[in-house]
DNA sequence: CGCGAGGTTGATTACTCTCAAACGACGTGG
DNA sequence: CCACGTCGTTTGAGAGTAATCAACCTCGCG
C-alpha cells in the first residue's frame, strides 16, 4: 500500500496530499478505503443519471423552475437561461457525497434542487467549521468561478441531494452576457462577507451558548421550527464543539424553549430561546437540572 | 443641553442615537463637544476644498492617476473614467475624521489617495474590531452601494488623509456602463469573504499570540517592515486586546524578531516571527525576559 | 515640568476546549 | 428477531487561554 501512497504523492500537490491525509484521519478511514469510496462514487456519477430519455422534457422543465427560484439568476435573459438548460446536468447524489475539496479546480457552478449541502473547512488540528448549509435555490461556486480561483472550502451533501451542474466555462459565457447575474453574485458575496464579520465579532464577544442560540434562530428562520440537524453541525455553524452544544441544548430544554428528539430540535418558544441565554456553565448550577 | 439631546433624538433613528451615545462614551467626549467637532469638520469640508481654481488641472490629472492605480476600476472605459473625474470631489481630511457610522446611508464611493482609513465595528460591549486598514488605491463603499444597503461598519481616518468622493448615483451609472467594474467588486468581495472566514477559523483555533503574528505579517506584506500602528489597532485587527498585543510584542522583542519604538514596530526577522510563536502565557516563563 | 495618551506588567477570573466515560438509538447481519 | 457495532448524545472533571481590572511606567507635547 506504500506504493499506492507514493504514486499518489507524485500526482498531487503537497497541499492536496496534506488534505487527503487530514481527511482520512478526521474520518478515521484508511487511505485505501477512502480511495475506494471516491472511485465508487465517481463511477456511479460520471455517466449521465439514469432518469434521462423519456423524462428528459420533465427534467428540463424542472431545471427551468429551479432557475426561476434561484436568486442569483434573477434578471437573466430567458433565452440565455434556456440555452443554459441544454448544458446543465441534473444529478442525484447520495448522503455524504463529497462535492469538492480545498484547492480543487472549480469545474462546475452548482445549484441545489433538493436536499442539503454543507460548505465547511477543516482546521489543521482537525476541527471542522461550517460556512453555510445550502438548500433548494441556493448556489455554490459562482463567486470562485468569477474570481478565477480554486475552491477554498470543502462541500459535502448531508442528505440525499439533487443538484444541477453547469460547466464552469458555460457559466462564464452566460454570466458575461448577463451582467445582472454578476451584480447578484456581488450582492451575495457582500452579504456573506458582512454576515461572516458579524459572526467573527460574535465569537469574540458572545458566549458559546449565545452563539448556539443565534445559530438555532437563524436556522429556524430558514427551515422552520423543526430542525433536522445533529449537534455536530450546529456546533460547526456556531464555532464551538458538540459537547458545548449539548450543554446549551439541555439548558434550553429545561427552560422549555426547545424540545429534543434524536437528531432533531424543535423550537417551541423562540422568545424564551433568545431571552434565557443566560451565561451558564457547569459551575453555575442550572435551576431544574436535578431530576 | 437636554433640549439639544431631545431634538437630536427625534431626528435620529434609535439605532443612530444609540451609536452616537456609544461613540461619545468610547471617545470619552461629551455630546456637545462631539457635535461641535462634527459641525466644524463639516463646515470646512462641504464647500469644495481650497486648492481648486488654478490647480484644477493638476487635481484632475492626480485623480486620473489614482483611478489607474485603483484595482476596482481596472478594465473600465477610459472615456467613462474621464466623465467620472468631472463629478469626483478631492478632499483633504484630518486625522480621526469619521467617514461614516453603522446604518448610515451610503452617499459616496470613496477612493483613498493618501493616508490611512480604518474600517471597523463596535460591539455592544464597546470593544472595537477592525475589518481593514485602507491605503492608496483602495476603495470603500462600493459593495454596499451595489448592494443597495446602508453602511454596516464605521470608518475613520487614522492619519491625515486625502480621498476622492464619487456620489453614489454617479457611481451606479458608471458601474452599470462598465460591467468589468462590477466583476472586480464581486472578486474583491469574494476575497474579503474568504479572508474573513479564515480569520474566523484562526480565532477559533489559534492563540492570540499567533493571531498577532499573522496580523504583523499581513501588515508587513502591505506596508513594509516598519509599521506605524499602535497596539490598539493591531489588537483590533487581531481580534484581541491591546494588553495581549503588548505581551506578544515584548515576547517577540526578546526573541529578536521585532524592534519596538514608541508607536511603531519594526520587523527585523520575519522567519523568527513566524517560527517563535510558541504558546507563551504569563505562567510559562519567557526565556530571556529577565533583564 | 506636568499632563495625558499609550505602553507594560501582574493578578484574577471564567469560559470552553479537551479528554473520558456511559448511555440510547439505529441499522446490519447472522 | 436479536446481538452487535457505530454513531450521536449526555454529563463530568480538569486545564489552559485570554479578557478584565488595576497599577505603574514612558514618551511626547505644550
Amino acid at each position: 500500500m506504500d506504493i499506492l501512497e507514493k504514486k499518489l504523492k507524485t500526482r498531487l500537490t503537497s497541499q492536496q496530499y496534506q488534505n487527503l491525509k487530514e481527511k482520512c484521519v478526521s474520518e478515521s478511514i484508511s487511505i485505501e478505503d477512502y480511495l475506494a469510496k471516491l472511485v465508487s462514487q465517481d463511477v456511479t456519477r460520471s455517466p449521465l443519471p439514469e432518469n434521462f430519455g423519456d423524462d428528459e422534457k420533465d427534467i428540463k422543465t424542472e431545471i427551468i423552475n429551479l432557475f426561476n427560484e434561484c436568486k442569483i439568476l434573477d434578471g437573466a435573459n430567458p433565452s440565455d437561461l434556456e440555452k443554459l438548460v441544454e448544458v446543465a446536468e441534473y444529478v442525484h447524489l447520495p448522503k455524504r457525497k463529497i462535492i469538492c475539496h480545498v484547492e480543487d479546480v472549480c469545474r462546475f457552478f452548482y445549484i441545489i434542487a433538493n436536499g442539503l449541502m454543507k460548505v465547511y473547512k477543516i482546521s489543521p488540528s482537525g476541527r471542522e467549521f461550517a460556512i453555510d448549509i445550502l438548500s433548494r435555490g441556493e448556489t455554490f461556486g459562482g463567486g470562485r468561478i468569477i474570481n478565477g480561483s480554486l475552491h477554498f472550502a470543502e462541500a459535502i451533501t448531508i442528505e440525499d441531494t439533487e443538484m444541477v451542474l453547469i460547466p464552469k466555462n458555460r457559466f462564464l459565457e452566460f454570466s458575461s452576457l448577463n451582467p445582472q447575474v454578476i451584480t447578484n453574485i456581488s450582492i451575495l458575496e457582500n452579504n456573506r462577507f458582512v454576515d461572516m464579520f458579524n459572526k467573527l465579532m460574535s465569537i469574540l464577544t458572545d458566549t458559546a451558548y449565545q452563539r448556539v442560540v443565534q445559530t438555532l434562530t437563524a436556522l429556524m428562520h430558514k427551515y422552520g421550527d423543526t430542525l433536522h440537524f445533529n449537534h455536530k453541525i450546529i456546533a460547526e455553524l456556531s464555532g464551538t464543539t458538540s459537547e458545548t452544544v449539548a450543554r446549551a441544548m439541555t439548558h434550553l430544554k429545561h427552560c422549555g424553549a426547545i424540545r429534543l428528539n434524536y437528531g432533531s430540535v424543535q423550537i417551541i418558544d423562540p422568545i424564551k430561546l433568545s431571552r434565557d441565554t443566560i451565561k451558564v456553565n457547569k459551575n453555575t448550577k442550572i435551576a431544574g437540572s436535578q431530576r
Side-chain angles (χ1 to χ4, degrees), chain A residues 101-120:
Chain A
H101 289 287
V102 169
E103 307 282 314
D104 277 359
V105 171
C106 296
R107 296 168 55 219
F108 298 103
F109 174 68
Y110 301 84
I111 309 172
I112 316 291
N114 255 312
L116 295 172
M117 182 170 101
K118 180 177 84 174
V119 186
Y120 67 108

Side-chain angles (χ1 to χ4, degrees), chain A residues 10-267:
Chain A
T10 58
R11 283 169 175 76
L12 295 174
T13 68
S14 62
Q15 173 70 52
Q16 288 172 330
Y17 186 70
Q18 192 60 33
N19 291 341
L20 170 65
K21 296 275 266 189
E22 277 168 16
K23 198 78 203 164
C24 289
V25 171
S26 75
E27 297 188 3
S28 39
I29 185 174
S30 69
I31 292 200
E32 48 264 58
D33 282 345
Y34 183 76
L35 292 176
K37 207 174 82 183
L38 269 192
V39 169
S40 78
Q41 284 171 351
D42 200 55
V43 167
T44 53
R45 185 176 69 84
S46 283
L48 282 185
E50 327 77 53
N51 49 351
F52 253 63
D54 285 351
D55 308 323
E56 200 162 334
K57 275 251 174 54
D58 288 353
I59 293 217
K60 286 192 179 166
T61 322
E62 163 57 19
I63 295 179
I64 280 286
N65 286 339
L66 178 61
F67 283 176
N68 290 330
E69 285 181 46
C70 185
K71 270 192 182 173
I72 259 192
L73 302 178
D74 266 9
N77 183 335
S79 76
D80 287 337
L81 281 177
E82 272 169 39
K83 280 182 218 150
L84 210 56
V85 172
E86 299 306 319
V87 298
E89 191 182 345
Y90 194 101
V91 296
H92 296 249
L93 304 175
K95 191 173 174 172
R96 271 177 234 268
K97 162 81 177 132
I98 293 169
I99 311 297
C100 73
H101 289 287
V102 169
E103 307 282 314
D104 277 359
V105 171
C106 296
R107 296 168 55 219
F108 298 103
F109 174 68
Y110 301 84
I111 309 172
I112 316 291
N114 255 312
L116 295 172
M117 182 170 101
K118 180 177 84 174
V119 186
Y120 67 108
K121 204 165 168 181
I122 306 176
S123 80
S125 61
R127 272 176 74 190
E128 293 186 17
F129 298 96
I131 297 162
D132 208 354
I133 308 289
L134 304 181
S135 60
R136 179 172 178 85
E138 294 188 287
T139 61
F140 175 72
R144 292 264 104 187
I145 289 176
I146 300 292
N147 201 326
S149 322
L150 305 173
H151 283 296
F152 82 102
E154 328 251 326
I156 190 169
T157 59
I158 55 176
E159 50 184 55
D160 290 358
T161 299
E162 295 164 37
M163 48 180 95
V164 170
L165 275 56
I166 295 162
K168 171 189 150 186
N169 288 330
R170 302 313 181 98
F171 180 69
L172 278 172
E173 285 166 25
F174 165 78
S175 64
S176 68
L177 296 171
N178 291 275
Q180 183 58 44
V181 172
I182 309 261
T183 305
N184 294 341
I185 290 181
S186 172
I187 292 172
L188 179 74
E189 297 287 331
N190 182 261
N191 287 334
R192 295 205 299 170
F193 164 68
V194 172
D195 290 346
M196 199 48 77
F197 180 72
N198 287 334
K199 209 162 176 176
L200 183 147
M201 277 186 63
S202 167
I203 287 169
L204 289 164
T205 58
D206 300 339
T207 65
Y209 282 26
Q210 288 171 310
R211 275 180 278 139
V212 170
V213 169
Q214 285 161 21
T215 302
L216 289 177
T217 309
L219 288 173
M220 181 182 72
H221 287 137
K222 189 162 169 186
Y223 297 107
D225 61 3
T226 304
L227 305 169
H228 298 278
F229 298 112
N230 62 27
H231 290 187
K232 183 158 172 284
I233 287 188
I234 294 170
E236 288 174 29
L237 283 166
S238 311
T240 181
T241 58
S242 63
E243 291 97 325
T244 302
V245 170
R247 284 184 237 272
M249 301 262 257
T250 38
H251 171 57
L252 292 168
K253 187 175 71 181
H254 289 137
C255 292
I258 61 174
R259 196 170 292 151
L260 292 175
N261 293 308
Y262 202 78
S264 78
V265 195
Q266 192 195 351
I267 292 156

